[in-house]
C-alpha cells in the first residue's frame, strides 16, 4: 500500500518526495498535512479542501485503487490509516528540511528516491520487528560511512 501511495503521488506531483503526516498529541490520530518536494517546498496542502490531480481512467495506478478515488484526499487518508492499522511505522521528517509548519508531531512517508529519512538509524534493531514495520517504499541512497584513516602499519620486523 505504501508503494501504491508513493507511486500515485509522484504521478500526480512529479517532484513529490514527502507525504507529511501529523499525529495528535496522544498519538491516537493521524492526519494528512502536506506533500513536499525534496527541498521542502509545499506542492499540496491538505488544509485546503481541494482534490488532488486526477489519474486517467486507463492508468494502472487508477485501477489499483479500485473503488477509491486517488484524487480524493479522503481515499488517501483511508489508505494511510490502513497502513497505521497494520502497525506501520513512518519516518521522521529531516530536521534540515526548510518548512516552517513541520513540528515534532509530524512524520512522513518517503515518496521518491530524492527523499531522505530524518534519521537513518532509529536505534531499533533493524533485523527485528521494527524493520518489517517501517513503511519506506523509497529513500535516497544512504550517505557513505565516513571512516577514519587507518594508522599506518609498522614494517614487519620492527
Amino acid at each position: 500500500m505504501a508503494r501504491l501511495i508513493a507511486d500515485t503521488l509522484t504521478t500526480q506531483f512529479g517532484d513529490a518526495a514527502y507525504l507529511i503526516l501529523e499525529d495528535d498529541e496522544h498519538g491516537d490520530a493521524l492526519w494528512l498535512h502536506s506533500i513536499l518536494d525534496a527541498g521542502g517546498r509545499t506542492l499540496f496542502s491538505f488544509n485546503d479542501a481541494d482534490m488532488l490531480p486526477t489519474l486517467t481512467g486507463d492508468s494502472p495506478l487508477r485501477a489499483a485503487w479500485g473503488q477509491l478515488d486517488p484524487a480524493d484526499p479522503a481515499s488517501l487518508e483511508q489508505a494511510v490509516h490502513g497502513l497505521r492499522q497494520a502497525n506501520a511505522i513512518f519516518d521522521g521528517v529531516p530536521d534540515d528540511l526548510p518548512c516552517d509548519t513541520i513540528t515534532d508531531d509530524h512524520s512522513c512517508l518517503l515518496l521518491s528516491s530524492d527523499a531522505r529519512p530524518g534519521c537513518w538509524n532509529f536505534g531499533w534493531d533493524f533485523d527485528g520487528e521494527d524493520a518489517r514495520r517501517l513503511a519506506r517504499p523509497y529513500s535516497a541512497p544512504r550517505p557513505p560511512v565516513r571512516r577514519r584513516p587507518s594508522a599506518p602499519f609498522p614494517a614487519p620486523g620492527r
Side-chain angles (χ1 to χ4, degrees):
M1 182 55 71
R3 185 74 177 258
L4 176 61
I5 292 169
D7 290 349
T8 299
L9 290 175
T10 56
T11 298
Q12 292 168 314
F13 301 93
D15 293 335
Y18 302 95
L19 172 61
I20 304 297
L21 308 168
E22 185 173 3
D23 283 306
D24 75 348
E25 60 190 43
H26 304 291
D28 298 334
L30 184 69
W31 297 283
L32 303 176
H33 181 273
S34 57
I35 299 168
L36 306 179
D37 70 8
R41 182 174 56 101
T42 301
L43 303 174
F44 186 86
S45 176
F46 290 98
N47 294 333
D48 305 330
D50 295 336
M51 297 287 280
L52 298 159
T54 60
L55 298 176
T56 61
D58 61 346
S59 165
L61 286 173
R62 175 62 190 101
W65 283 88
Q67 298 298 317
L68 297 175
D69 179 2
D72 184 352
S75 295
L76 179 59
E77 189 168 53
Q78 185 176 345
V80 168
H81 282 284
L83 287 172
R84 183 79 174 269
Q85 289 172 346
N87 291 318
I89 298 171
F90 296 101
D91 270 292
V93 180
D95 289 335
D96 62 346
L97 199 64
C99 187
D100 296 338
T101 61
I102 305 298
T103 68
D104 289 340
D105 294 331
H106 291 86
S107 56
C108 67
L109 182 66
L110 306 179
L111 303 176
S112 75
S113 59
D114 292 332
R116 56 194 165 67
C119 183
W120 290 103
N121 182 353
F122 290 93
W124 299 325
D125 175 10
F126 272 101
D127 294 328
E129 181 64 25
D130 290 328
R132 289 186 290 278
R133 293 177 47 211
L134 182 63
R136 186 182 284 172
Y138 292 100
S139 175
R142 188 179 180 117
V145 175
R146 291 188 179 156
R147 299 175 192 241
R148 287 188 267 168
S150 58
F153 290 103
R158 286 189 174 179

